[in-house]
């Protein structure tokens, strides 16, 4: 089971899911015990397959920290926070991270793209 850790305690993830805004980017940071990354990724692929079939899903990419880092970061784009919230509340979704290696943590956070003085990569 994955331990849930708020990325920003002042802005809980559950409150972010209630926002009526979009598109949104889910930045989901995982800490995985040493030697468990491949086991974690096999289970994550199953969860990702579920989310890719949900209305409002746009894209997802998983990134792995370098130099022996235990961090994996999923960056997923959704049409809106409401779409992501609906995917979480779908009866086909099994929350709680059952089956993931002991000692994994997850810190999800929703963001919006920001252009700063014309600097904004595609």
């Amino acid at each position: 089971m994955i331990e849930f850790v708020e990325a920003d305690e002042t802005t809980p993830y559950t409150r972010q899911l209630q926002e009526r805004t979009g598109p949104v980017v889910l930045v989901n940071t995982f800490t995985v015990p040493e030697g468990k990354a491949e086991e974690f990724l096999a289970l994550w692929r199953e969860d990702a397959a579920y989310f890719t079939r949900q209305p409002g899903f746009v894209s997802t990419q998983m990134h792995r920290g370098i130099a022996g880092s235990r961090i994996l970061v999923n960056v997923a784009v959704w049409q809106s926070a409401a779409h992501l919230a609906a995917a979480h509340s779908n009866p086909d979704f099994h929350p709680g991270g059952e089956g993931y290696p002991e000692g994994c943590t997850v810190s999800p956070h929703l963001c919006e793209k920001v252009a700063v003085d014309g600097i904004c990569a595609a």
Side-chain angles (χ1 to χ4, degrees):
M1 187 155 153
I2 293 179
E3 178 187 355
F4 183 90
V5 179
E6 289 288 358
D8 178 354
E9 292 180 7
T10 67
T11 312
Y13 181 61
T14 53
R15 189 168 85 208
Q16 292 180 320
L17 288 171
Q18 296 171 7
E19 289 291 308
R20 297 298 170 225
T21 188
V24 294
V25 177
L26 169 64
V27 179
N28 214 359
T29 303
F30 300 93
T31 304
V32 179
E34 188 174 335
K36 297 293 185 175
E38 293 310 316
E39 179 183 348
F40 171 88
L41 287 169
L43 290 161
W44 180 83
R45 282 182 193 97
E46 292 177 20
D47 283 347
Y50 160 79
F51 283 109
T52 62
R53 296 187 304 269
Q54 301 310 302
F57 173 83
V58 176
S59 67
T60 190
Q61 293 182 340
M62 179 62 85
H63 304 267
R64 185 185 301 204
I66 63 172
S69 173
R70 298 181 307 125
I71 300 296
L72 289 129
V73 178
N74 172 36
V75 179
V77 180
W78 287 81
Q79 290 177 359
S80 70
H83 280 102
L84 178 55
H88 277 295
S89 62
N90 184 321
D92 292 337
F93 178 61
H94 303 288
E98 291 87 6
Y100 282 92
E102 185 71 29
C104 290
T105 65
V106 61
S107 297
H109 202 76
L110 292 179
C111 303
E112 293 177 308
K113 191 177 204 179
V114 176
V116 180
D117 295 330
I119 300 171
C120 192

